[in-house]
Amino acid sequence: MSLPLLQLEGTPFEQGVQHGEVLREQIAHNMAIYFERFAREVNLARPEVLARAERYGAAIASQSPAYAAGMRGIAASAGFSLPEVVALNVRYELFYDGFVEKPMADGCTAFALLPERTANGHLLIGENWDWIAGVQGVVLQTTEPDGLQTLSFSEAGIVGGKIGLNSAGLGLMINGLTSRDDDWARLKRPFHLRCYEILRARDFAAAAAIVTAEERACSTNFLIAQTPDQVVNIEAAPHTTGLTGCVGGCLVHANHFVDPAALGIAERSIEINQHSYWRHRRLDALLNSSAAPISLADLQAALRDHDRHPYSVCFHIDYAEPPEEYYETLTSVIIDLHARALYITDGPPCSAEYVTHTL
């Protein structure tokens, strides 16, 4: 099995129409999952979700007419109202603002390796993306009106991708973060819009500025890289950011602020155990256990690691939890930015093969 590949071109609205037409069933599936989870996990009934989405949709229309057009295109062709599609696209803010201090099992474990550390001398980035079991993803390949191409992973119904690369040799990985300052009602440029804009940036500094130049509604981590050897990790709380780079040619990040006190923020405790710290330490150890150059096969093996299973780098459902609390690695991604290649799985990498897509 492999994720569907959807090739999009034309204006943002036309790309949205193509997205909605092809992925109508997957979008309906994701819509049902999210509206149910809004109600149960963060106590947001459907009318309240749609009311918040209408407010956020108006803000996005002024922040990015292109992104707003993409959402309108999806709504027009997939058979959903615009507020329903907006709700999918701002689901990060609605969830992460609403999560209370309770057990929650989700996460992502990301990395970057400079050319000096890799067997092929290329800049490599990647992650395991862990989220709600059953959410359906897609690989999007776009050709923008200015000729820039992008190749990314997204959820069906979400515009433009959140993990990926472009033809300018720029790539993006992400991790969810939380802080006590998170507040969706600020209506700042939302997480998925920032991902969309980063993946359409040609310049490394301009991509980083998409995160740092203005405040945010909720906390997120962005790992941005560009050939030949530029890497920055941006821990972005609503009112402050922390920037770090590779140490010894390697960078690893999971779902916690590395030093929240240094940023003057307080995290919310939303996990029953501190598996984000375990995953961070384990992947860092795997990538730094030897001075030998790291190959693609080495990276795939590291991302399949089951130490502390099920809360491992390759993250699995904890069947001791009720079914509605099931989380797992939905996709594993490795990107070779020099080769403009994306290697991606449909499911946990221990059981799903990596499929190669290139620009």
Side-chain angles (χ1 to χ4, degrees), residues 19-142:
H19 185 145
E21 286 177 343
V22 176
L23 299 176
R24 185 178 290 111
E25 291 184 6
Q26 293 94 326
I27 294 168
H29 175 87
N30 286 350
M31 196 83 70
I33 287 178
Y34 279 123
F35 275 92
E36 190 275 331
R37 300 296 279 245
F38 285 139
R40 182 171 46 76
E41 289 200 48
V42 295
N43 199 31
L44 288 179
R46 187 181 189 88
E48 178 61 20
V49 172
L50 295 177
R52 293 185 180 192
E54 287 198 55
R55 289 181 58 190
Y56 229 135
I60 294 170
S62 63
Q63 294 161 351
S64 173
Y67 196 94
M71 292 192 295
R72 290 198 310 273
I74 291 173
S77 60
F80 293 98
S81 70
L82 181 57
E84 287 174 317
V85 173
V86 174
L88 276 187
N89 282 264
V90 299
R91 62 90 175 151
Y92 186 95
E93 284 69 25
L94 297 184
F95 269 125
Y96 276 75
D97 174 50
F99 283 140
V100 296
E101 300 208 21
K102 65 172 186 177
M104 175 194 166
D106 81 295
C108 312
T109 318
F111 70 87
L113 291 170
L114 294 180
E116 66 200 52
R117 291 294 311 278
T118 63
N120 63 2
H122 292 184
L123 178 58
L124 303 179
I125 61 175
E127 73 174 77
N128 280 354
W129 185 71
D130 314 330
W131 189 230
I132 297 169
V135 167
Q136 296 194 3
V138 61
V139 177
L140 299 177
Q141 184 166 353
T142 74

Side-chain angles (χ1 to χ4, degrees), residues 194-266:
R194 292 180 199 254
C195 293
Y196 174 91
E197 293 182 337
I198 290 168
L199 288 172
R200 282 152 184 79
R202 295 178 178 271
D203 175 76
F204 181 75
I210 291 166
V211 182
T212 61
E214 62 182 28
E215 292 191 341
R216 294 140 299 275
C218 294
S219 305
T220 319
N221 190 77
F222 298 86
L223 192 165
I224 301 170
Q226 189 172 26
T227 53
D229 58 2
Q230 298 182 94
V231 174
V232 65
N233 189 83
I234 307 173
E235 293 183 337
H239 306 301
T240 187
T241 57
L243 279 63
T244 54
C246 293
V247 176
C250 177
L251 187 154
V252 173
H253 202 279
N255 297 100
H256 59 277
F257 287 91
V258 173
D259 190 354
L263 296 179
I265 63 166

Side-chain angles (χ1 to χ4, degrees), residues 2-7 22-23 26 136-140 152 156 346 357:
S2 61
L3 292 166
L5 171 64
L6 183 56
Q7 295 182 321
V22 176
L23 299 176
Q26 293 94 326
Q136 296 194 3
V138 61
V139 177
L140 299 177
S152 64
D346 182 10
H357 302 281

